[in-house]
Amino acid sequence: MTAEASGRRLGKTFRRGQEGRPGDGKLWGRGHGHQAVVLAVGHAFDVLGLERITAEVFADNPRSVRLLEGTGFVREGVMRESIHRDGRRVDELVYGLLRREWSKGHK
């Protein structure tokens, strides 16, 4: 599933979880990512009947961390130095969201 605004790619979600894509930087900071996550999570819980969603983000991406935490995801763990990028090792943060947590905050 791809979220779009003004014909520009904002991000991409996958059945296994959610993976953010940079998209068009001109659209950052306008709430489109938040809206896309809310719609995708609502669909996953309300239509697909999932009980749990996980998401992974790199620790050096504070925008994605804020997005997940701002939509109710809870940090569950850290995969230390999970990738090598730009000459350094980067941690990957693991987040989770349960249906009951989502229902409580969005109904």
Side-chain angles (χ1 to χ4, degrees), residues 31-70:
H32 298 302
H34 179 85
Q35 181 181 7
V37 170
V38 167
L39 290 171
V41 168
H43 182 80
F45 287 137
D46 299 336
V47 176
L48 300 178
L50 299 182
E51 293 295 326
R52 172 184 173 74
I53 299 173
T54 60
E56 297 86 26
V57 297
F58 297 118
D60 62 351
N61 186 343
R63 294 177 74 94
S64 290
V65 169
R66 281 193 308 273
L67 175 61
L68 288 177
E69 292 176 353

Side-chain angles (χ1 to χ4, degrees), residues 44-106:
F45 287 137
D46 299 336
V47 176
L48 300 178
L50 299 182
E51 293 295 326
R52 172 184 173 74
I53 299 173
T54 60
E56 297 86 26
V57 297
F58 297 118
D60 62 351
N61 186 343
R63 294 177 74 94
S64 290
V65 169
R66 281 193 308 273
L67 175 61
L68 288 177
E69 292 176 353
T71 52
F73 281 81
V74 175
R75 187 182 300 185
E76 297 180 334
V78 178
M79 292 186 286
R80 299 177 301 146
E81 299 182 3
S82 67
I83 66 161
H84 186 264
R85 185 172 61 200
D86 298 327
R88 62 190 177 91
R89 302 298 301 180
V90 179
D91 292 348
E92 192 169 3
L93 309 177
V94 180
Y95 283 84
L97 182 61
L98 305 177
R99 175 199 292 270
R100 65 179 163 79
E101 295 167 337
W102 178 259
S103 296
K104 189 165 95 174
H106 289 86

